[in-house]
Amino acid sequence: MRTFENRKTKYIPAVFLTILFLAVGGILFAVFFYKKDKAGNILAGASPDTSAFQLYYYDGNTVMVRTLYDRGTEKEVIKKINDIPLRAAEEDALSQMEIPFFGIWISSGEGHDISVTASGGVWLRNDGAVYHGDTDLSLLWKEMEGSDEDTFNVLNFPNAGQLSVYHSCFLLKADDPPAEDTEGVSMDIEEIGTSDITVLITNNSGEEFSYGEYFSLQKQIDGQWYTMPVRADNIGFRDIAYILPDGKSASKTYNLDIYGTLEPGLYRLVVETLSAEFTEG
């Protein structure tokens, strides 16, 4: 009997320490995942010392943007936004967004764009990260009243390209190219690759025709053509003109990567006053 009691006494501290260790470990584990799931810091890398801070507001009709240039004020605003608790979400949460939309743009210290969209309890960053969290930035928008203000079209809204997949309000209605300016000049699809498209431009107009690097992509939805917003950052086109003499043809390849993965549908490439339709999917 005495031997049994001694063994029991020896086991009690060991059992207690084991339980204590597991309890502490469980708490640390929970705290770790809470912080990880909390996310936040959505403007990580933002550089108010080298970049202005822009806040966008889109009511479904007009895109307005207010800009801060004061570094001290920018830092305060960035800290407030970074402190907002966020939880990681799947991309399909973007469908839960609704009007009004708020957008944020600022540059990093390396000169890279940091663009964020917030609406309907969902946040989207231009690196593709999606979060759930409080998205009411109306107070901040009001506080920035009196700042430098501009009006843009919807194609300039932060992350409009990715949002257009879920919300057609981020597509801009497009007009048909003027027919009188394209008489005698045609553009036909030669080849469609995984990330680019090659067209053949033929000039029988009786005079030289010039075109450049710039192009746009449109999509037909319910009989209406819409201009697609790009999904890549820092997009620029070389300011160069290609001269096509009368009676000549030339092939030109345009990179479609800037529009991301195209959903199935009818599209048309627009170059100057020319257009060529193609089907995706």
Side-chain angles (χ1 to χ4, degrees):
M1 187 71 176
R2 186 174 299 168
T3 302
F4 174 78
E5 289 177 351
N6 288 340
R7 289 178 179 176
K8 184 177 181 181
T9 302
K10 290 179 181 179
Y11 284 143
I12 288 177
V15 172
F16 176 77
L17 290 174
T18 301
I19 294 175
L20 180 62
F21 175 79
L22 292 174
V24 172
I27 293 173
L28 293 175
F29 186 80
V31 169
F32 170 78
F33 275 94
Y34 170 76
K35 289 184 176 179
K36 182 179 180 182
D37 190 49
K38 188 176 180 182
N41 203 30
I42 197 167
L43 295 180
S47 177
D49 292 327
T50 58
S51 172
F53 174 93
Q54 292 186 317
L55 182 65
Y56 291 71
Y57 178 80
Y58 178 41
D59 61 3
N61 295 306
T62 305
V63 173
M64 294 176 287
V65 58
R66 291 174 177 171
T67 305
L68 291 176
Y69 296 101
D70 181 76
R71 296 178 183 178
T73 305
E74 286 185 68
K75 290 178 180 179
E76 292 176 5
V77 170
I78 291 170
K79 185 179 185 305
K80 287 181 182 178
I81 295 172
N82 277 336
D83 286 343
I84 296 175
L86 300 175
R87 307 181 309 278
E90 298 296 327
E91 183 179 332
D92 59 8
L94 299 180
S95 63
Q96 301 169 17
M97 288 179 151
E98 56 188 13
I99 294 172
F101 290 83
F102 290 94
I104 297 168
W105 180 91
I106 191 169
S107 178
S108 70
E110 294 75 29
H112 302 301
D113 287 352
I114 298 174
S115 58
V116 172
T117 310
S119 169
V122 179
W123 293 75
L124 168 65
R125 185 173 155 127
N126 59 323
D127 60 2
V130 181
Y131 301 97
H132 283 300
D134 180 15
T135 58
D136 186 7
L137 298 178
S138 56
L139 181 59
L140 176 58
W141 177 256
K142 187 174 182 180
E143 289 176 353
M144 288 180 61
E145 188 173 0
S147 303
D148 187 36
E149 185 169 311
D150 291 296
T151 302
F152 293 156
N153 71 50
V154 71
L155 299 181
N156 297 116
F157 194 86
N159 306 316
Q162 188 166 356
L163 293 169
S164 66
V165 177
Y166 298 89
H167 304 278
S168 60
C169 62
F170 286 98
L171 299 173
L172 185 67
K173 286 186 177 181
D175 297 324
D176 289 331
E180 63 272 15
D181 291 343
T182 60
E183 186 176 353
V185 184
S186 63
M187 183 171 71
D188 300 293
I189 304 294
E190 274 196 321
E191 182 180 359
I192 301 176
T194 56
S195 61
D196 54 34
I197 183 169
T198 300
V199 295
L200 180 68
I201 301 176
T202 302
N203 180 16
N204 290 310
S205 65
E207 57 187 16
E208 291 182 341
F209 177 77
S210 64
Y211 61 98
E213 295 284 334
Y214 177 78
F215 72 97
S216 63
L217 187 66
Q218 300 175 359
K219 183 178 182 180
Q220 189 180 86
I221 301 175
D222 296 330
Q224 170 67 50
W225 286 102
Y226 294 87
T227 299
M228 302 287 293
V230 298
R231 296 185 62 174
D233 298 320
N234 297 318
I235 293 301
F237 297 94
R238 292 187 302 167
D239 188 13
I240 185 172
Y242 299 102
I243 304 300
L244 185 62
D246 178 46
K248 299 292 184 179
S249 297
S251 293
K252 176 64 179 173
T253 299
Y254 294 94
N255 182 10
L256 298 179
D257 268 347
I258 61 175
Y259 292 98
T261 301
L262 300 182
E263 299 293 318
L266 179 62
Y267 294 84
R268 70 181 178 189
L269 183 78
V270 178
V271 178
E272 300 296 339
T273 56
L274 305 173
S275 66
E277 296 182 9
F278 65 97
T279 302
E280 182 67 28

